[in-house]
């Protein structure tokens, strides 16, 4: 295992380097580093924007990665996979594209008290802009979500529930479908998960999960790459969240 991570080959004060901050970012295995280097050495070009050989190869690689991600999270279609720069960007994109058109004055957005900042601040800003209300589901002293209270906070004005799968601060693993009400009601569930959980979460997409963002730090993928999954019908209704080039 250690030999797969070139950064761990170095010694610090005569001892092998040990890296424990993987909740913040992961170290990258040789396969990832080599794939990036190979891309820049052999295929680098704009995707979807050139008719020359390199652009075709870069586009093929890009679309192959989309299909691989689709299979990994059991999404129904490859076009449900949106590449973004990271989790924070995925949430901002959803709050801009989905939130701006679906959330109005007096509506409610529900988060939990254990959310990462990136899953609170964009919703706060949206609620301020729209005159909507941000509701926060509580947890107990053990860091577990109080599911009855969460359920009680979901009402007819709840437009979106933004819930992390695993808390990076507490390590709490939240149930993937903790509330009957959001499965049966019109609430859109936006979840974030580390890749390990993504496969099982995606499998449950039919049970009401509409938007899913994969967490970058817990993955071994390069910095600056993230994935947002959205059900086709939802993506089709969403206006562009960003204008111009990528
Ligand atoms: C739970 C959680 N959500 C979101 C983020 C932000 O991720 P990104 O840097 O991809 O925007 C992190 C980063 O550590 C995280 O742990």
């Amino acid at each position: 295992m250690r030999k797969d991570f070139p950064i761990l080959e170095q010694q610090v004060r005569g001892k092998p380097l040990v890296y424990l901050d993987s909740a913040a970012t992961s170290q990258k295995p040789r396969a990832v580093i080599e794939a990036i280097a190979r891309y820049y050495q052999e295929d680098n070009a704009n995707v979807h924007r050139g008719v020359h050989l390199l652009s075709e190869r870069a586009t093929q690689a890009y679309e192959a990665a989309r299909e691989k991600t689709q299979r990994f999270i059991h999404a129904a279609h490859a076009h449900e996979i949106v590449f973004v720069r990271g989790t924070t960007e995925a949430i901002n994109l959803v709050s801009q594209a989905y939130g701006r058109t679906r959330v109005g004055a007096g509506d409610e957005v529900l988060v939990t008290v254990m959310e990462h900042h990136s899953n609170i601040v964009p919703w706060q800003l949206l609620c301020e802009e729209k005159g909507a209300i941000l509701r926060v589901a509580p947890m107990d002293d053990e860091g577990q979500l109080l599911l009855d209270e969460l359920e009680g906070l979901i009402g007819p004005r709840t437009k979106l529930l933004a819930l992390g799968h695993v808390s990076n601060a507490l390590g709490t693993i939240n149930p993937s479908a903790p509330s009957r009400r959001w499965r049966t009601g019109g609430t859109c569930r936006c979840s974030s998960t580390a890749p390990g959980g993504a496969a099982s979460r995606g499998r449950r997409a039919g049970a009401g999960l509409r938007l899913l963002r994969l967490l970058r730090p817990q993955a071994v993928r390069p910095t600056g790459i993230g994935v947002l999954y959205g059900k086709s019908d939802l993506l089709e209704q969403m206006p562009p969240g960003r204008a111009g080039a990528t």
Side-chain angles (χ1 to χ4, degrees):
M1 177 79 177
R2 216 180 151 78
K3 69 179 179 3
D4 295 330
F5 289 80
I7 204 166
L8 300 181
E9 283 169 1
Q10 59 189 298
Q11 302 252 318
V12 178
R13 293 188 211 101
K15 302 250 166 56
L17 178 85
V18 175
Y19 178 81
L20 299 173
D21 198 16
S22 26
T25 194
S26 60
Q27 296 302 343
K28 314 305 172 209
R30 195 179 308 280
V32 170
I33 297 168
E34 286 175 359
I36 295 169
R38 199 166 48 243
Y39 172 76
Y40 285 120
Q41 280 162 13
E42 297 175 11
D43 299 328
N44 179 47
N46 275 7
V47 297
H48 291 303
R49 271 193 249 151
V51 288
H52 54 85
L53 175 77
L54 292 186
S55 182
E56 272 175 20
R57 289 214 300 243
T59 303
Q60 269 167 16
Y62 192 76
E63 290 307 324
R66 198 192 304 276
E67 283 166 17
K68 218 176 238 182
T69 311
Q70 175 204 352
R71 288 194 296 276
F72 183 62
I73 67 165
H74 307 279
H77 309 284
H79 64 252
E80 293 182 323
I81 305 299
V82 182
F83 290 126
V84 287
R85 281 182 283 246
T87 313
T88 308
E89 194 196 17
I91 302 168
N92 277 279
L93 196 58
V94 173
S95 78
Q96 292 300 304
Y98 178 86
R100 276 188 146 172
T101 49
R102 298 294 190 93
V103 176
D107 285 338
E108 295 175 9
V109 172
L110 178 57
V111 296
T112 77
V113 72
M114 68 176 77
E115 294 313 308
H116 188 270
H117 249 188
S118 61
N119 202 22
I120 298 175
V121 182
W123 305 118
Q124 265 175 332
L125 294 178
L126 177 73
C127 288
E128 266 171 39
E129 184 189 318
K130 294 290 188 174
I133 301 152
L134 187 70
R135 299 259 181 235
V136 183
M139 65 182 181
D140 64 17
D141 292 345
E142 315 264 275
Q144 300 297 318
L145 269 184
L146 292 168
L147 297 179
D148 287 345
E149 302 213 18
L150 182 144
E151 176 105 14
L153 285 170
I154 299 176
R157 305 240 39 185
T158 313
K159 291 291 168 185
L160 190 129
L161 168 59
L163 168 70
H165 179 208
V166 181
S167 161
N168 69 316
L170 304 169
T172 307
I173 300 175
N174 288 316
S176 59
S179 156
R180 254 182 306 114
R181 219 174 266 182
W182 88 46
R183 282 197 302 257
T184 51
T187 306
C188 176
R189 180 153 52 103
C190 179
S191 178
S192 62
T193 188
S200 58
R201 298 221 111 192
R203 216 171 272 145
R204 295 194 182 96
L209 184 62
R210 316 282 321 267
L211 294 159
L212 173 76
R213 28 181 222 285
L214 301 196
L215 294 180
R216 173 191 57 75
Q218 290 81 357
V220 291
R221 76 184 83 137
T223 303
I225 296 180
V227 167
L228 170 69
Y229 155 82
K231 283 215 160 195
S232 313
D233 60 322
L234 200 60
L235 291 182
E236 275 155 22
Q237 292 162 26
M238 280 160 64
R242 258 200 330 254
T246 52

